Amino acid sequence: MPMLSSIAHIVLSATGAQSIRHSTVIQSLWSGYGQIVRLELSGGTHSSVILKHVKLPDVSEHPHGWNTGLSHRRKVRSYQIEAQWYQHYASHCTHDCVVPVCLAVSAGVGETVLVLSDLNAAGFDVRKSHVKTQDIHACLDWLASFHATFLNTKADDLWECGTYWHLDTRPDELAALKDRALRQAAPLIDQKLRDGRYQTLVHGDAKLANFCFRPDHSSLNSSNQHFPPRVAAVDFQYVGRGCGMKDVAYFIGSCLNSRDCETMTSQLLDYYFSVLIDRVVQQNSRINAAELEREWRALYPVAWADFHRFIKGWSPGHWKINSYSEKITNDVIDDLQS
């Protein structure tokens, strides 16, 4: 990748490196909005860093055709929020919810540059598309720790309502939704989640692909502080205020099929809440942990239905639209109407 001298200067100044030896494109950003690149460095304190270079295109090419003005503005705002997150919030993450370290941020007209520590170099060099129960537990550990750390945070300069699918930013997908009952219930589902007493910061896109794992031989019990954490997380474009169940429901749906959701969700929620309550008690003893758990357990199916509303309007043939999701959503609608 040709490296602009201005970007190279930002990288070298932030790291104290003498030169950039090599660059490798990791991936292009959604709809052609830039690239994520690994830069190998000579000299300085970092052997490599991650460059997230956001450069707004003249024409957006969305894979599902949602290249509207609203979609463009949402993406632009998401990169601004990610920069805010790394500058002002990421440093508060604990040992149990590892994120990249922000080394530099530069924002200009139509362009944002983020220079981040390389999680591969920190030992989180494994990406997984298929997971075992211990892998799911590791990600739930991270989410529980993240939610406990930011419980009752105001989320200044982040999304007022976190997640990329929240109702206010998805009127086009709602209008396209053929399920009339779900379309009518959508505002009630959204309000139910917003009205919860216990709000935190949600990652907002907590799918399996956004978790970076240590090699399996390092997959130790992260609930013991003497062991290293098993996962780290990336991609904070949609971080904002919300009920933690939005992350948990979305994550579980990202790595389990409908059959496994039927059989495993109860155990996985038990695991998540055991870690959450432990972290909350450690970090904020004034929180009524039992009340928090009662509220969020009741909101789990509501969070599931909220995402189902989005996916059903956005991509009606998507594999996540199945009998399990339909049943949960119909039960939620019935409860809201009773």
Short mmCIF file of all heavy atoms in Angstrom, two decimals, residues 131-161:
data_model
loop_
_atom_site.label_atom_id
_atom_site.label_comp_id
_atom_site.label_asym_id
_atom_site.label_seq_id
_atom_site.Cartn_x
_atom_site.Cartn_y
_atom_site.Cartn_z
N VAL A 131 -16.19 -22.08 17.22
CA VAL A 131 -15.77 -21.96 18.62
C VAL A 131 -16.25 -23.14 19.45
O VAL A 131 -17.26 -23.77 19.17
CB VAL A 131 -16.31 -20.66 19.25
CG1 VAL A 131 -15.56 -19.46 18.72
CG2 VAL A 131 -17.81 -20.50 19.01
N LYS A 132 -15.47 -23.40 20.50
CA LYS A 132 -15.85 -24.34 21.54
C LYS A 132 -16.49 -23.55 22.68
O LYS A 132 -16.42 -22.32 22.72
CB LYS A 132 -14.61 -25.09 22.04
CG LYS A 132 -13.85 -25.83 20.96
CD LYS A 132 -12.56 -26.41 21.53
CE LYS A 132 -11.75 -27.10 20.44
NZ LYS A 132 -10.45 -27.62 20.95
N THR A 133 -17.06 -24.28 23.62
CA THR A 133 -17.70 -23.61 24.75
C THR A 133 -16.72 -22.71 25.50
O THR A 133 -17.06 -21.60 25.91
CB THR A 133 -18.31 -24.64 25.72
OG1 THR A 133 -19.29 -25.42 25.02
CG2 THR A 133 -18.99 -23.96 26.90
N GLN A 134 -15.47 -23.17 25.66
CA GLN A 134 -14.50 -22.35 26.39
C GLN A 134 -14.20 -21.04 25.65
O GLN A 134 -13.91 -20.01 26.28
CB GLN A 134 -13.20 -23.12 26.62
CG GLN A 134 -12.39 -23.41 25.38
CD GLN A 134 -11.07 -24.11 25.71
OE1 GLN A 134 -10.91 -24.69 26.78
NE2 GLN A 134 -10.13 -24.07 24.78
N ASP A 135 -14.30 -21.06 24.33
CA ASP A 135 -14.10 -19.82 23.57
C ASP A 135 -15.25 -18.86 23.78
O ASP A 135 -15.04 -17.64 23.93
CB ASP A 135 -13.97 -20.13 22.08
CG ASP A 135 -12.82 -21.08 21.75
OD1 ASP A 135 -11.75 -20.92 22.38
OD2 ASP A 135 -13.00 -21.96 20.90
N ILE A 136 -16.46 -19.40 23.79
CA ILE A 136 -17.64 -18.56 24.05
C ILE A 136 -17.55 -17.97 25.45
O ILE A 136 -17.82 -16.78 25.66
CB ILE A 136 -18.93 -19.38 23.88
CG1 ILE A 136 -19.06 -19.87 22.43
CG2 ILE A 136 -20.16 -18.55 24.26
CD1 ILE A 136 -20.23 -20.81 22.19
N HIS A 137 -17.14 -18.79 26.41
CA HIS A 137 -16.98 -18.29 27.78
C HIS A 137 -15.96 -17.16 27.84
O HIS A 137 -16.15 -16.18 28.56
CB HIS A 137 -16.54 -19.43 28.70
CG HIS A 137 -17.65 -20.35 29.08
ND1 HIS A 137 -17.48 -21.40 29.96
CD2 HIS A 137 -18.95 -20.38 28.72
CE1 HIS A 137 -18.63 -22.04 30.11
NE2 HIS A 137 -19.53 -21.44 29.37
N ALA A 138 -14.87 -17.28 27.07
CA ALA A 138 -13.85 -16.24 27.07
C ALA A 138 -14.42 -14.91 26.59
O ALA A 138 -14.14 -13.86 27.16
CB ALA A 138 -12.67 -16.67 26.19
N CYS A 139 -15.23 -14.96 25.54
CA CYS A 139 -15.85 -13.73 25.03
C CYS A 139 -16.89 -13.18 25.99
O CYS A 139 -17.00 -11.95 26.15
CB CYS A 139 -16.47 -13.99 23.65
SG CYS A 139 -15.27 -14.45 22.38
N LEU A 140 -17.65 -14.06 26.63
CA LEU A 140 -18.60 -13.60 27.64
C LEU A 140 -17.89 -13.00 28.85
O LEU A 140 -18.39 -12.05 29.47
CB LEU A 140 -19.52 -14.76 28.06
CG LEU A 140 -20.49 -15.26 27.00
CD1 LEU A 140 -21.25 -16.48 27.50
CD2 LEU A 140 -21.47 -14.16 26.57
N ASP A 141 -16.72 -13.55 29.20
CA ASP A 141 -15.87 -12.94 30.23
C ASP A 141 -15.58 -11.49 29.87
O ASP A 141 -15.69 -10.58 30.70
CB ASP A 141 -14.54 -13.68 30.33
CG ASP A 141 -14.53 -14.79 31.37
OD1 ASP A 141 -15.19 -14.62 32.40
OD2 ASP A 141 -13.87 -15.81 31.15
N TRP A 142 -15.15 -11.30 28.62
CA TRP A 142 -14.80 -9.95 28.17
C TRP A 142 -16.01 -9.03 28.26
O TRP A 142 -15.91 -7.91 28.78
CB TRP A 142 -14.26 -10.00 26.73
CG TRP A 142 -13.66 -8.71 26.28
CD1 TRP A 142 -12.34 -8.38 26.27
CD2 TRP A 142 -14.36 -7.55 25.80
NE1 TRP A 142 -12.17 -7.08 25.81
CE2 TRP A 142 -13.39 -6.54 25.52
CE3 TRP A 142 -15.70 -7.25 25.58
CZ2 TRP A 142 -13.73 -5.29 25.03
CZ3 TRP A 142 -16.05 -5.99 25.10
CH2 TRP A 142 -15.08 -5.02 24.83
N LEU A 143 -17.14 -9.48 27.74
CA LEU A 143 -18.34 -8.64 27.75
C LEU A 143 -18.78 -8.31 29.17
O LEU A 143 -19.13 -7.16 29.47
CB LEU A 143 -19.47 -9.34 26.99
CG LEU A 143 -19.33 -9.40 25.47
CD1 LEU A 143 -20.42 -10.27 24.87
CD2 LEU A 143 -19.37 -8.00 24.86
N ALA A 144 -18.79 -9.30 30.04
CA ALA A 144 -19.21 -9.06 31.43
C ALA A 144 -18.28 -8.04 32.10
O ALA A 144 -18.74 -7.14 32.82
CB ALA A 144 -19.22 -10.37 32.21
N SER A 145 -16.99 -8.16 31.86
CA SER A 145 -16.02 -7.23 32.46
C SER A 145 -16.19 -5.83 31.88
O SER A 145 -16.12 -4.83 32.61
CB SER A 145 -14.60 -7.74 32.21
OG SER A 145 -14.42 -9.01 32.79
N PHE A 146 -16.42 -5.75 30.58
CA PHE A 146 -16.63 -4.46 29.91
C PHE A 146 -17.89 -3.79 30.45
O PHE A 146 -17.89 -2.60 30.80
CB PHE A 146 -16.75 -4.71 28.41
CG PHE A 146 -16.86 -3.47 27.57
CD1 PHE A 146 -15.73 -2.74 27.23
CD2 PHE A 146 -18.09 -3.04 27.10
CE1 PHE A 146 -15.83 -1.60 26.44
CE2 PHE A 146 -18.20 -1.91 26.30
CZ PHE A 146 -17.06 -1.18 25.97
N HIS A 147 -18.97 -4.55 30.54
CA HIS A 147 -20.23 -3.99 31.03
C HIS A 147 -20.12 -3.54 32.49
O HIS A 147 -20.68 -2.51 32.88
CB HIS A 147 -21.35 -5.01 30.88
CG HIS A 147 -21.64 -5.36 29.45
ND1 HIS A 147 -22.20 -6.55 29.06
CD2 HIS A 147 -21.45 -4.63 28.30
CE1 HIS A 147 -22.34 -6.56 27.74
NE2 HIS A 147 -21.89 -5.41 27.27
N ALA A 148 -19.42 -4.32 33.31
CA ALA A 148 -19.24 -3.94 34.71
C ALA A 148 -18.38 -2.67 34.83
O ALA A 148 -18.68 -1.78 35.63
CB ALA A 148 -18.59 -5.08 35.48
N THR A 149 -17.35 -2.57 34.02
CA THR A 149 -16.44 -1.43 34.07
C THR A 149 -17.16 -0.13 33.74
O THR A 149 -16.90 0.92 34.36
CB THR A 149 -15.27 -1.64 33.09
OG1 THR A 149 -14.53 -2.80 33.49
CG2 THR A 149 -14.35 -0.42 33.05
N PHE A 150 -18.09 -0.17 32.77
CA PHE A 150 -18.73 1.06 32.31
C PHE A 150 -20.19 1.19 32.76
O PHE A 150 -20.94 1.99 32.18
CB PHE A 150 -18.62 1.15 30.78
CG PHE A 150 -17.21 1.32 30.30
CD1 PHE A 150 -16.50 0.27 29.76
CD2 PHE A 150 -16.58 2.55 30.41
CE1 PHE A 150 -15.20 0.43 29.32
CE2 PHE A 150 -15.28 2.74 29.98
CZ PHE A 150 -14.58 1.66 29.43
N LEU A 151 -20.57 0.44 33.78
CA LEU A 151 -21.93 0.53 34.30
C LEU A 151 -22.21 1.96 34.76
O LEU A 151 -21.42 2.57 35.48
CB LEU A 151 -22.10 -0.46 35.45
CG LEU A 151 -23.53 -0.84 35.83
CD1 LEU A 151 -24.24 -1.54 34.68
CD2 LEU A 151 -23.52 -1.75 37.07
N ASN A 152 -23.34 2.50 34.29
CA ASN A 152 -23.80 3.86 34.63
C ASN A 152 -22.91 4.97 34.07
O ASN A 152 -22.99 6.12 34.53
CB ASN A 152 -23.93 4.02 36.15
CG ASN A 152 -25.04 3.16 36.72
OD1 ASN A 152 -25.99 2.83 36.03
ND2 ASN A 152 -24.90 2.78 37.98
N THR A 153 -22.09 4.66 33.07
CA THR A 153 -21.31 5.69 32.39
C THR A 153 -22.22 6.52 31.49
O THR A 153 -23.12 5.99 30.84
CB THR A 153 -20.19 5.05 31.54
OG1 THR A 153 -19.28 4.38 32.42
CG2 THR A 153 -19.44 6.07 30.73
N LYS A 154 -21.99 7.82 31.43
CA LYS A 154 -22.88 8.71 30.68
C LYS A 154 -22.71 8.63 29.17
O LYS A 154 -23.60 9.02 28.42
CB LYS A 154 -22.66 10.15 31.14
CG LYS A 154 -23.15 10.43 32.55
CD LYS A 154 -22.97 11.89 32.92
CE LYS A 154 -23.50 12.19 34.31
NZ LYS A 154 -23.34 13.62 34.68
N ALA A 155 -21.56 8.19 28.70
CA ALA A 155 -21.32 8.04 27.26
C ALA A 155 -21.31 9.36 26.51
O ALA A 155 -21.85 9.48 25.41
CB ALA A 155 -22.36 7.09 26.64
N ASP A 156 -20.68 10.37 27.08
CA ASP A 156 -20.53 11.65 26.39
C ASP A 156 -19.73 11.45 25.10
O ASP A 156 -18.69 10.80 25.11
CB ASP A 156 -19.81 12.66 27.28
CG ASP A 156 -20.64 13.05 28.50
OD1 ASP A 156 -21.88 12.97 28.41
OD2 ASP A 156 -20.05 13.40 29.53
N ASP A 157 -20.22 12.01 24.00
CA ASP A 157 -19.56 11.95 22.69
C ASP A 157 -19.51 10.56 22.08
O ASP A 157 -18.79 10.34 21.11
CB ASP A 157 -18.14 12.53 22.77
CG ASP A 157 -18.13 13.99 23.18
OD1 ASP A 157 -19.02 14.73 22.71
OD2 ASP A 157 -17.27 14.38 23.99
N LEU A 158 -20.27 9.61 22.65
CA LEU A 158 -20.45 8.31 22.03
C LEU A 158 -21.89 8.24 21.54
O LEU A 158 -22.65 9.19 21.63
CB LEU A 158 -20.13 7.19 23.03
CG LEU A 158 -18.74 7.21 23.66
CD1 LEU A 158 -18.59 6.06 24.66
CD2 LEU A 158 -17.64 7.14 22.61
N TRP A 159 -22.30 7.08 21.00
CA TRP A 159 -23.69 6.93 20.61
C TRP A 159 -24.59 7.02 21.84
O TRP A 159 -24.36 6.34 22.83
CB TRP A 159 -23.92 5.59 19.92
CG TRP A 159 -23.30 5.47 18.57
CD1 TRP A 159 -22.18 4.75 18.25
CD2 TRP A 159 -23.75 6.06 17.34
NE1 TRP A 159 -21.90 4.87 16.91
CE2 TRP A 159 -22.86 5.67 16.33
CE3 TRP A 159 -24.83 6.88 17.02
CZ2 TRP A 159 -23.01 6.07 15.00
CZ3 TRP A 159 -24.99 7.28 15.69
CH2 TRP A 159 -24.09 6.87 14.70
N GLU A 160 -25.58 7.84 21.77
CA GLU A 160 -26.55 7.93 22.88
C GLU A 160 -27.22 6.59 23.09
O GLU A 160 -27.54 6.20 24.23
CB GLU A 160 -27.61 8.99 22.57
CG GLU A 160 -28.64 9.18 23.66
CD GLU A 160 -29.69 10.21 23.30
OE1 GLU A 160 -29.48 10.97 22.34
OE2 GLU A 160 -30.73 10.24 23.99
N CYS A 161 -27.45 5.87 22.00
CA CYS A 161 -27.96 4.50 22.06
C CYS A 161 -27.01 3.64 21.24
O CYS A 161 -26.92 3.78 20.03
CB CYS A 161 -29.38 4.43 21.50
SG CYS A 161 -30.16 2.80 21.64
#
